[in-house]
Amino acid sequence: MTHQQNAHPTTSSSHSRQPIRAAAGSFLGTLIEWFDFYIYATASALIFSHVFFPGSSQFLGTLSSFATLAVGFLARPLGGIVFGHLGDRFGRKYSLILTLLLMGVSTVGIGLLPSYEQVGILAPILLVLLRICQGIAVGGEWGGAVLLASEHAPEGKRSFYASFAQLGSPAGLVLSLMVFRFISEMPEEAMYAWGWRLPFIGSVVLLLLAFVIRSRVNESPEFEAQAKAAKTEASPIRLVLRDSWPLVLLVMGACTIGISSAYFTNTFMIAYATQYLGIKSSMILECLSIVAVVQLINQPIAAWLADRVGAGRFLLITSGLSLFVPYLMFSLVSTGQSLMIILGISLTKVFSSAFYAVIAGYVVSVFPVSQRYSGISLAYQGCGALIGGTTPMIGTLIAGQSAGQWWPLALFYTALALISFVCVLLLMRRREAFAVAALR
């Protein structure tokens, strides 16, 4: 009897720590996934045109590298469908372990690839295949990480806890930029020959750490309750497409600025600053590293604030302000001074990263528990495929057509923010209509 009395507080204490473990596991898991994803994005801006597309002009080489980046985004909806189905049927935790393993194998494989000079056209083909595997892994990761954190969250703190999954993106960016900041200081011959491979191969250490931490997190209590209550016969993704496709489209549009901003400022801006403004790659990488730290600090504060003022209202404010900030950003970046570059990009990222931190927790409640992993994954990854992966390519084309003038690029960013603003507004009205109908 005494033993049972002593055991109960331990069990209770362990249960009370689960929200924190879930948030930490989501953060560390997405950190690893996004570190792997961002080192590819950074390498596509600085390295891959030389290693896998030699002989092309700088413009065509960069465009080809960004095209392989976009392929990963196109694969993300497939990952959302596959792992969303697994997560809705067998559990969030089970699905997330598989995404980690797939990302780790794919990323290390890229680091071991031969160059175009060694095996010819086979090199970029293998690069694309492994990039597709990366995209599938990230496509399954995001939805599960958001759900694991938000479904463990205490009452009234869903935005804050879900933001920890979003926090993995800027943390992974900081880590990837720090690594490439070091690599960019290497002699050029060594950097292109083997230096760029180090972060890809070394990511296996982070993978093992994330695997251990995530394995200690319990399954989502909301999923377990739903699984005990009923067993759905139809495929979750089929139910989403049959019953909730308008919501999928609205959530896709709502996520636009949160996703595209990251690849506009963190990937395209590297190529734009080095090619059109004559800024050294080491300098722009250092500036972006500082901006990423600003984002890392800003996101949890934004999520905490959104839980108090209302997530929908907060998303409208931040996407609305994002309509105007790119003009100031480009004016400051064009000075070529590091302090002005940091200030300009930071002003833009303060609003877009605040939006990014909150949108995850907001869209979780749009779909029922039994379809939630599939629904939010399909919407978010569909947006990533259409908007995120093509943003650096579109930016490159606009810059090429306008001879590097910045105002057409600022207009492009404004259009992305406008899509999110309108879709969030429509989601809010839809939720209000359902709430009124429920009271009748």
Side-chain angles (χ1 to χ4, degrees):
M1 183 69 177
T2 304
H3 174 74
Q4 290 178 343
Q5 290 175 338
N6 291 337
H8 181 71
T10 303
T11 303
S12 177
S13 175
S14 177
H15 179 74
S16 67
R17 290 196 297 267
Q18 280 301 308
I20 297 174
R21 286 182 182 176
S26 294
F27 165 66
L28 289 168
T30 52
L31 185 154
I32 307 311
E33 297 273 359
W34 284 111
F35 170 74
D36 289 353
F37 214 68
Y38 278 132
I39 58 176
Y40 188 101
T42 306
S44 69
L46 297 177
I47 305 293
F48 288 164
S49 61
H50 301 273
V51 177
F52 296 104
F53 305 100
S56 304
S57 66
Q58 187 178 48
F59 173 77
L60 289 177
T62 301
L63 195 61
S64 298
S65 297
F66 282 158
T68 68
L69 178 68
V71 165
F73 281 90
L74 294 174
R76 282 167 60 169
L78 176 60
I81 292 171
V82 172
F83 290 105
H85 174 83
L86 294 175
D88 281 332
R89 277 297 179 85
F90 304 107
R92 294 26 171 152
K93 180 177 176 179
Y94 169 79
S95 183
L96 288 173
I97 294 296
L98 295 179
T99 63
L100 274 179
L101 294 175
L102 179 59
M103 176 59 91
V105 171
S106 305
T107 302
V108 172
I110 290 172
L112 298 174
L113 281 179
S115 67
Y116 185 92
E117 291 183 352
Q118 293 173 314
V119 296
I121 192 66
L122 182 61
I125 291 175
L126 291 174
L127 178 68
V128 168
L129 290 176
L130 289 172
R131 176 61 180 165
I132 289 172
C133 292
Q134 268 197 330
I136 292 172
V138 169
E141 166 68 23
W142 180 84
V146 167
L147 291 181
L148 201 64
S150 65
E151 291 179 350
H152 273 287
E155 185 69 26
K157 296 183 179 180
R158 173 162 280 180
S159 291
F160 181 71
Y161 275 76
S163 74
F164 279 85
Q166 303 292 71
L167 205 58
S169 177
L173 177 62
V174 170
L175 192 57
S176 69
L177 289 173
M178 287 174 60
V179 169
F180 269 95
R181 176 68 175 83
F182 167 76
I183 291 172
S184 67
E185 294 293 331
M186 296 175 65
E188 192 171 276
E189 183 177 349
M191 179 177 69
Y192 290 133
W194 56 268
W196 70 269
R197 301 177 184 275
L198 297 178
F200 289 89
I201 299 173
S203 68
V204 70
V205 177
L206 298 175
L207 169 71
L208 293 174
L209 175 64
F211 183 87
V212 171
I213 293 173
R214 185 163 280 177
S215 65
R216 299 182 62 190
V217 180
N218 292 343
E219 183 53 78
S220 154
E222 287 190 45
F223 171 81
E224 289 186 330
Q226 183 274 331
K228 290 178 181 178
K231 186 72 174 179
T232 192
E233 294 181 3
S235 166
I237 190 65
R238 187 181 302 169
L239 292 174
V240 169
L241 293 174
R242 187 190 69 190
D243 303 330
S244 305
W245 62 266
L247 281 176
V248 170
L249 294 178
L250 282 179
V251 173
M252 284 176 64
C255 292
T256 295
I257 193 61
I259 293 175
S260 62
S261 176
Y263 294 94
F264 191 97
T265 57
N266 302 333
T267 303
F268 167 72
M269 191 60 78
I270 296 173
Y272 178 77
T274 55
Q275 294 177 22
Y276 291 98
L277 302 180
I279 298 172
K280 291 183 178 179
S281 60
S282 58
M283 178 180 175
I284 188 64
L285 287 173
E286 184 174 336
C287 292
L288 288 174
S289 297
I290 296 172
V291 172
V293 173
V294 173
Q295 179 180 350
L296 193 62
I297 297 170
N298 180 59
Q299 284 191 197
I301 296 173
W304 176 83
L305 185 61
D307 276 330
R308 280 148 183 79
V309 304
R313 183 186 305 172
F314 187 86
L315 291 170
L316 282 181
I317 293 171
T318 50
S319 59
L321 290 171
S322 294
L323 295 168
F324 306 102
V325 291
Y327 305 93
L328 182 57
M329 175 184 69
F330 276 106
S331 296
L332 293 173
V333 170
S334 296
T335 65
Q337 301 175 22
S338 58
L339 184 59
M340 294 296 101
I341 294 171
I342 293 168
L343 179 60
I345 301 178
S346 292
L347 286 172
T348 303
K349 294 302 292 181
V350 162
F351 300 118
S352 64
S353 65
F355 182 95
Y356 179 74
V358 176
I359 191 64
Y362 186 73
V363 301
V364 161
S365 59
V366 168
F367 299 96
V369 175
S370 61
Q371 304 170 25
R372 191 171 282 170
Y373 201 144
S374 298
I376 67 170
S377 294
L378 181 62
Y380 186 87
Q381 306 310 337
C383 179
L386 293 175
I387 302 295
T390 58
T391 292
M393 291 179 63
I394 294 173
T396 300
L397 291 171
I398 292 174
Q401 290 294 317
S402 62
Q405 294 184 70
W406 62 259
W407 66 265
L409 295 166
L411 285 174
F412 173 47
Y413 190 96
T414 294
L416 296 170
L418 183 60
I419 294 172
S420 285
F421 181 87
V422 171
C423 289
V424 168
L425 185 61
L426 293 173
L427 277 174
M428 288 181 67
R429 290 181 177 177
R430 185 183 179 98
R431 287 171 60 135
E432 289 171 1
F434 278 127
V436 170
L439 292 174
R440 290 176 180 173

